[in-house]
DNA sequence: TCTGGGGTCCTAGGACCC
DNA sequence: TCTGGGGTCCTAGGACCC
């Protein structure tokens, strides 16, 4: 999908279509998640600090992400992909590999050709637009690596085929960074060895690459530089770890506060672990200091657990082993060594507790509520009206928060199917104003599951399907 | 106003075991 | 009192990806 989060925002907020939109963390330490193409023209891009983006593009709309909505739109798109083949490997909410050969979409027992593949890709792009109002790009090739490179070239709103046999010639002049797995560090190492392009990686030879980058990385890169990539498309992969982390608006120094936050994170981590029906054996704590230096401490239990108390206690011991007095900007808690099923083995959990070294046991972490409101938490009468979030006003209907401050909140009243709406300002505690659920770009009720799109439709809808938003 | 959050994979050293 | 060799597990850190 092209500029996915920003594109969903534009599709659901009519006044933002054609305008620069930036989605990401709105706090003092936020970064850009997605910038619309209109915004990218001014310089902002993914992972850029939000403060820098605001300097470059002060007139953009800055919005907090609505992940629940993105997930719903993603499910619709992934559903369309699964109609092409059962072998679909999602990489994220907005990107997936499809093994067309494992499907039947070529029609008759057919051989895939560049032309039949192109036709399927173009039909897919039309179906995605008809179903979601959004544009996606398609890369078609004989392997995952090349399909990915093709889709990068196709963006935005395009399709690129790399016919078999043309791979090496196409890759040779491209920068080394084009290959998956070549990031800043690897590119630097290669550059120091006089290697700048994919062709030069191939020329360097396997022995040289292994010497420079190590067995696994060097070997893999050498093969990929020949245009060879045998990795299969894998539809379902079990998660190997679950983790949560928080960056705080200001550095934490207070010991009790740090312990309270770690306990909170441990609870959130276990919540997600349990939701996935898993348990894990190794607890990891991550600490990022005021100077951005980052370290992890881990502890492996005698058996897997999904007990919040066990994870909290391990995490408390681990954070206790780190000097946090100079200030901490991020804390994280994770669990790895996941078992395939929920472990109800009380013996193992009792054993894990007994395994604690005597004497170093920290005070019981305070329960989350006792720690006071956490950053970003909604509490009491003071609601946080974050820009981009959905609201409903008793008189004016559905809209979204454009901004707030000084006891006021500004709302734009429009919804996916409406024309661009107008803005009104209220007191933050206006009783007629309340948070509400997102409306999808194709219209419909917030609580409804997405209506399964008609994939046979060849509608060239350039606009989202007209909404049936309720009064 | 400098740097999110959730992951994966690899490497390397030490402990431990046969 | 000179030193084996290979395998697995654990811990920590780093690179990379979206």
């Amino acid at each position: 999908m092209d500029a996915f989060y920003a594109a969903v925002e534009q599709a659901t907020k009519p006044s933002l279509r054609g305008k620069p939109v930036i989605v990401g963390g709105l706090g003092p330490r936020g970064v850009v998640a997605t910038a619309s193409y209109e915004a990218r023209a001014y310089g902002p891009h993914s992972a850029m600090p939000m403060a820098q983006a605001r300097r470059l593009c002060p007139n953009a709309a800055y919005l907090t992400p609505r992940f629940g909505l993105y997930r719903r739109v993603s499910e619709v798109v992934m559903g369309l992909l699964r109609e092409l083949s059962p072998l679909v490997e999602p990489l994220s909410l907005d990107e997936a590999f499809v093994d067309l050969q494992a499907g039947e979409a070529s029609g008759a027992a057919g051989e895939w050709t560049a032309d039949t593949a192109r036709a399927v890709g173009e039909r897919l792009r039309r179906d995605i637009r008809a179903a979601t109002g959004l544009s996606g790009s398609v890369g078609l090739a004989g392997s995952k690596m090349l399909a990915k490179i093709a889709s990068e070239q196709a963006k935005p709103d395009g399709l690129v085929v790399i016919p078999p046999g043309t791979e090496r010639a196409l890759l040779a002049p491209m920068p080394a960074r084009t290959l998956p797995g070549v990031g800043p560090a690897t590119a630097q190492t290669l550059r120091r060895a006089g290697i700048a392009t994919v062709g030069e990686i191939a020329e360097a030879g396997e022995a040289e690459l292994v010497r420079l980058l190590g067995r696994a990385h060097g070997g893999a890169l050498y093969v990929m530089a020949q245009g060879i990539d045998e990795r299969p498309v894998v539809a379902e992969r079990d998660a190997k770890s679950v983790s949560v982390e928080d960056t705080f608006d200001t550095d934490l120094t207070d010991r009790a506060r740090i312990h309270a936050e770690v306990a909170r994170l441990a609870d959130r981590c276990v919540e997600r672990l349990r939701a996935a029906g898993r348990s894990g054996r190794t607890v990891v704590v991550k600490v990022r200091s005021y100077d951005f230096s980052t370290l992890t401490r881990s502890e492996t239990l005698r058996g897997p657990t999904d007990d919040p108390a066990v994870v909290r206690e391990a995490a408390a011991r681990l954070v206790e082993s780190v000097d946090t007095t100079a200030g901490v900007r991020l804390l994280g808690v994770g669990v790895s060594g996941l078992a395939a099923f929920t472990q109800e083995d009380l013996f193992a959990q009792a054993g894990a507790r007994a395994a604690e070294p005597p004497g170093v046991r920290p005070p019981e972490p305070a329960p989350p509520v006792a720690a006071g409101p956490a950053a970003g938490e909604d509490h009491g009468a003071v609601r946080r009206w974050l820009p981009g979030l959905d609201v409903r006003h008793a008189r004016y209907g559905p809209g979204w928060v454009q901004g707030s401050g000084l006891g006021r909140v500004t709302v734009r009243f429009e919804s996916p199917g409406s024309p661009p709406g107008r803005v009104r300002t209220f007191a933050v505690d206006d009783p007629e104003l309340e948070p509400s659920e997102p409306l999808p770009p194709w219209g419909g009720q917030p609580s409804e599951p997405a209506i399964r799109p008609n994939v046979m439709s060849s509608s060239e809808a350039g606009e989202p399907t007209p909404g049936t938003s309720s009064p």
Side-chain angles (χ1 to χ4, degrees):
Chain A
M1 302 299 289
D2 303 321
F4 184 52
Y5 299 170
V8 171
E9 296 303 331
Q10 290 175 317
T12 52
K13 295 180 165 85
S15 62
L16 298 182
R17 294 177 194 156
K19 304 252 170 62
V21 170
I22 291 177
V23 179
L26 300 182
R29 288 172 168 176
V31 299
V32 175
T34 310
S36 73
Y37 281 91
E38 297 87 348
R40 288 182 204 185
Y42 296 89
H45 56 79
S46 295
M48 176 183 282
M50 209 51 121
Q52 192 182 348
R54 285 188 193 271
R55 286 193 294 270
L56 291 170
C57 191
N59 295 322
Y62 287 86
L63 307 174
T64 201
R66 293 185 292 165
F67 287 109
L69 177 60
Y70 308 152
R71 208 165 289 123
R72 285 177 66 189
V73 177
S74 176
E75 278 163 19
V76 171
V77 175
M78 297 295 173
L80 291 171
L81 299 185
R82 276 186 212 102
E83 307 213 353
L84 301 179
S85 165
L87 257 189
V88 174
E89 178 180 338
L91 289 185
S92 60
L93 287 182
D94 77 326
E95 189 169 17
F97 289 115
V98 182
D99 185 336
L100 290 178
Q101 251 166 355
E104 294 160 24
S106 66
E111 296 282 298
W112 283 98
T113 66
D115 285 342
T116 57
R118 181 186 299 273
V120 166
E122 289 294 8
R123 196 183 76 209
L124 170 67
R125 286 175 13 82
R126 284 196 299 274
D127 290 340
I128 288 173
R129 188 180 283 279
T132 68
L134 304 174
S135 77
S137 297
V138 169
L140 290 150
S143 68
K144 295 209 285 193
M145 171 185 65
L146 288 153
K148 172 117 176 138
I149 290 169
S151 80
E152 292 298 329
Q153 295 192 322
K155 277 176 213 259
D157 201 12
L159 178 149
V160 165
V161 183
I162 299 178
T166 68
E167 294 94 343
R168 281 200 69 149
L170 179 92
L171 285 176
M174 293 183 160
R177 280 295 305 259
T178 310
L179 297 185
V182 181
T186 303
Q188 251 257 36
T189 302
L190 292 173
R191 208 176 314 118
R192 278 198 298 258
I195 298 169
T197 66
V198 177
E200 286 161 0
I201 293 177
E203 283 165 32
E206 183 172 19
E208 169 75 347
L209 286 161
V210 168
R211 191 179 64 76
L212 287 169
L213 304 170
R215 181 69 272 177
H217 200 191
L221 229 51
Y222 178 68
V223 173
M224 289 207 188
Q226 330 284 313
I228 299 167
D229 173 19
E230 307 278 0
R231 295 171 302 166
V233 176
V234 181
E236 277 165 49
R237 268 193 301 221
D238 280 347
K240 302 196 164 164
S241 65
V242 171
S243 66
V244 296
E245 62 187 52
D246 268 348
T247 292
F248 305 98
D249 287 354
T250 56
D251 293 349
L252 267 40
T253 49
D254 179 66
R255 220 185 80 95
R257 173 77 192 279
I258 288 169
H259 275 273
E261 292 294 347
V262 165
R264 255 186 66 244
L265 290 161
D267 286 345
R268 270 165 60 193
C269 183
V270 167
E271 222 172 280
R272 295 206 4 233
L273 189 66
R274 291 186 151 197
R278 312 287 294 276
S279 59
R281 242 188 106 211
T282 302
V283 178
V284 187
V285 163
K286 176 172 169 180
V287 179
R288 176 166 291 156
S289 299
Y290 68 98
D291 64 355
F292 217 73
S293 62
T294 306
L295 57 78
T296 62
R297 291 292 177 264
S298 66
E299 176 182 317
T300 299
L301 309 172
R302 296 222 286 220
T305 185
D306 68 347
D307 181 340
V310 171
V311 175
R312 262 202 313 256
E313 287 163 20
R317 281 194 296 278
L318 289 165
V319 78
E320 192 63 18
S321 75
V322 178
D323 179 10
T324 56
T325 51
V328 163
R329 66 178 284 142
L330 170 146
L331 290 171
V333 173
V335 175
S336 64
L338 299 195
F341 52 89
T342 304
Q343 176 89 3
E344 302 290 348
D345 188 343
L346 297 176
F347 179 77
Q349 295 186 355
R353 270 187 256 227
E356 288 168 24
V360 297
R361 193 170 189 152
E364 282 298 306
V369 280
E377 211 166 275
D378 200 26
H379 56 99
V382 186
R383 277 192 304 237
R384 302 201 32 184
W385 302 104
L386 291 175
L389 291 188
D390 302 88
V391 296
R392 165 172 287 278
H393 190 276
R395 263 180 294 163
Y396 303 113
W400 54 277
V401 175
Q402 189 158 298
S404 70
L406 302 174
R408 308 249 128 197
V409 52
T410 302
V411 176
R412 188 175 289 276
F413 288 99
E414 61 183 8
S415 51
S418 79
R422 57 164 296 183
V423 157
R424 294 175 187 277
T425 296
F426 307 91
V428 290
D429 56 358
D430 189 318
E432 295 192 301
L433 193 65
E434 58 180 26
S436 70
E437 290 302 304
L439 293 159
W442 51 80
Q445 301 297 315
S447 53
E448 267 175 26
I451 294 159
R452 198 160 171 282
N454 173 8
V455 291
M456 297 314 289
S457 160
S458 58
S459 149
E460 280 284 6
E463 295 288 331
T465 310
T468 54
S469 38
S470 54

